[in-house]
Amino acid sequence: MSPVGSAIRSDSDLGYGGGRMRIKPWVLPAAMLTGALLGLLIGASLGERWADPSVEPFVLFVRMLGVVFLSALKALIVPLVVTSIVVGVTGMGDLRRVGKAASATVVYFMTTTFLAVVTGIVLVSLINPGSHAVGNAAAAPVELAKAVAQTPARAIYDVITSMFPSNIIAAAADSNILGLIVFSVTIGIVLSLMGPAAKPLNDVIVAANDALLKLVRFLVWFAPLGILGLVADRIGKAGGGAVVWQELAGLGWYAATVMLGLLVHAFINLSALLVFIGRRRWWPYARGMVDALLTAFGTASSAATMAVTLQCVVENNKVARRAADLVIPLGTTVNMDGTALYEAVAVIFIAQSMGIELSFAQHLLIAVTATLAAVGAAAIPEAGLVTMVLVLGAVGLPAEGIGLLLSIDWILDRFRTTVNVWGDSIGAAIVDRMVPADDAAVPTNRY
Ligand code: ASP
């Protein structure tokens, strides 16, 4: 065995289970939850003084914990997307399987996103939170409105052109993940077609991917501190517990509608798909995803969470690499159930609070454009707020309506990002079941 191989004797040495450390599976999630709660406590109690020079060293220390953790996660995105997708495609073996997996993935993404939107529309129509709205609109976010595509045609154009970057290095630097995915799928297909001649390069990519996932397993142990830093800093910047509570209470009906919708979608719609189509038991699967779900909550970014999602899906939930490696990077970028649901609720809430009645056709238009806006949203904090301009424009509402929701968007963002990640993880289990293993494929389950 090589010196490197003998230094780390088994996969479980750095993780849970029967290795040298024998750490119980609940320790890390419990530590992450504690980190989130401590962050909440610190940010809420110190928030009023967050910008005060007397506490600056402490604030900077707390902020540093979050920034370093977030940067470490983000640094993994580009190499992980490229190697995972290539491993996923070559791991399928027969290229017809890639086609089958891709269609199953797209059908899953589209159906669940649409289901999320419909759930949101039904709830917001029944609850009618707009009738309780208090007029606390922030300044009109004109720059937000200008930042995005304002028509569905433009949004589709933007998504399709971003799939074909002219410079792959620039695509990586600009976080054009969709462009990287298309590039990597193409390389994966070419490697599959080359057969044995591609083996050396394949081996390198598989080993690189294995190494990155091992790194993630190490990194997640810093998540409790990272989450503490991120949560405390965000609440602190918002002004502390009293301010946040006041803002939340002002938009309480709206926030409650979004949260209820997210709960229904996560616990009923998606969970039913996991159990009945993915044929997985709910509790073990959910337990296996806890690290990723808490990281999503802490970072408010599915892209930053992607590495942990992949690790949880593959290692804790034993989803085959060929499915996870395709579905997770793609899902992170385009499948955002929580975002779609929230956009639909938010737009109808804005209409309700302005006293505007929407027709059935307009509801339908909201459903379609919210799905599109969620696909177009980047997997970063509060991206959904920006793409909402598209949905508002489609039904003739002013982009300034977003001002109503600005103050608490960062809170709801954390919950919808968690649902986005949960949806991706279930997609991986379903595609795994729909596209069984091909014995002739390049072996990829070494990790
Ligand atoms: N923050 C979300 C995500 O990364 C996107 C959004 O809804 O703003 O999944």
Side-chain angles (χ1 to χ4, degrees):
M1 189 181 274
S2 71
V4 174
S6 57
I8 298 173
R9 259 181 286 157
S10 78
D11 282 353
S12 47
D13 285 353
L14 290 173
Y16 312 140
R20 278 180 295 177
M21 286 168 74
R22 289 190 183 277
I23 292 169
K24 295 264 186 274
W26 52 263
V27 171
L28 182 57
M32 288 165 90
L33 206 58
T34 312
L37 291 176
L38 275 178
L40 190 89
L41 216 65
I42 294 172
S45 52
L46 207 68
E48 287 160 37
R49 298 174 51 214
W50 207 246
D52 196 318
S54 64
V55 290
E56 195 189 28
F58 178 72
V59 167
L60 286 180
F61 174 72
V62 170
R63 184 172 300 155
M64 181 197 69
L65 295 176
V67 169
V68 171
F69 177 62
L70 198 59
S71 301
L73 285 177
K74 284 188 188 166
L76 292 172
I77 298 174
V78 169
L80 205 52
V81 165
V82 174
T83 56
S84 298
I85 294 273
V86 174
V87 170
V89 172
T90 51
M92 284 282 172
D94 183 351
L95 280 181
R96 269 170 304 185
R97 283 161 179 280
V98 179
K100 195 171 166 197
S103 7
T105 306
V106 171
V107 170
Y108 171 82
F109 287 172
M110 285 303 147
T111 349
T112 49
T113 307
F114 200 72
L115 200 60
V117 168
V118 172
T119 305
I121 292 181
V122 169
L123 286 176
V124 73
S125 305
L126 289 176
I127 299 172
N128 196 1
S131 62
H132 304 273
V134 283
N136 58 348
V142 181
E143 65 295 350
L144 274 189
K146 283 192 194 135
V148 282
Q150 307 236 5
T151 63
R154 184 80 210 178
I156 294 172
Y157 173 87
D158 284 352
V159 168
I160 293 179
T161 50
S162 73
M163 289 162 84
F164 304 96
S166 60
N167 179 338
I168 202 66
I169 307 287
D174 297 344
S175 298
N176 174 5
I177 304 298
L178 207 52
L180 285 183
I181 289 176
V182 172
F183 176 77
S184 312
V185 168
T186 320
I187 296 289
I189 291 175
V190 170
L191 290 180
S192 296
L193 291 174
M194 282 170 69
K199 189 171 180 311
L201 182 55
N202 251 330
D203 284 349
V204 169
I205 297 176
V206 170
N209 192 248
D210 287 353
L212 287 165
L213 283 182
K214 271 206 188 282
L215 199 59
V216 178
R217 201 189 302 176
F218 173 70
L219 189 62
V220 286
W221 288 99
F222 293 93
L225 289 176
I227 291 175
L228 184 156
L230 290 166
V231 171
D233 193 34
R234 193 61 189 82
I235 298 179
K237 274 183 187 155
V243 178
V244 171
W245 185 248
Q246 203 185 349
E247 283 171 347
L248 202 57
L251 287 164
W253 283 89
Y254 160 68
T257 310
V258 173
M259 299 289 282
L260 183 67
L262 292 175
L263 286 175
V264 169
H265 189 64
F267 283 95
I268 300 180
N269 301 346
L270 289 175
S271 298
L273 292 174
L274 174 72
V275 173
F276 296 115
I277 301 186
R279 297 252 173 237
R280 295 284 191 141
R281 284 191 302 137
W282 187 85
W283 171 239
Y285 199 86
R287 195 179 53 197
M289 289 312 301
V290 169
D291 299 353
L293 300 178
L294 289 173
T295 306
F297 184 82
T299 60
S301 164
S302 352
T305 310
M306 193 195 80
V308 187
T309 313
L310 201 54
Q311 196 244 353
C312 288
V313 163
V314 170
E315 191 188 342
N316 299 352
N317 283 330
K318 308 287 177 238
V319 171
R321 288 281 294 276
R322 60 178 192 286
D325 283 345
L326 287 178
V327 176
I328 299 301
L330 196 61
T332 298
T333 320
V334 301
N335 182 46
M336 298 190 190
D337 294 4
T339 302
L341 184 148
Y342 139 89
E343 299 216 7
V345 171
V347 168
I348 297 175
F349 167 76
I350 290 171
Q352 289 172 348
S353 51
M354 289 178 167
I356 297 169
E357 285 271 336
L358 297 170
S359 64
F360 179 74
Q362 280 175 312
H363 280 92
L364 214 59
L365 202 57
I366 289 176
V368 175
T369 47
T371 304
L372 204 61
V375 171
I380 57 172
E382 299 192 51
L385 187 71
V386 182
T387 59
M388 196 194 298
V389 174
L390 172 71
V391 191
L392 286 170
V395 287
L397 292 171
E400 284 69 20
I402 290 178
L404 276 175
L405 327 166
L406 269 182
S407 59
I408 61 159
D409 190 66
W410 64 274
I411 305 177
L412 298 179
D413 189 16
R414 284 159 198 268
F415 291 98
R416 65 182 188 252
T417 307
T418 309
V419 174
N420 290 346
V421 168
W422 176 233
D424 297 339
S425 76
I426 293 175
I430 289 179
V431 172
D432 181 17
R433 178 150 180 274
M434 300 215 139
V435 189
D438 177 3
D439 295 338
V442 177
T444 53
N445 279 324
R446 291 201 254 135
Y447 167 67

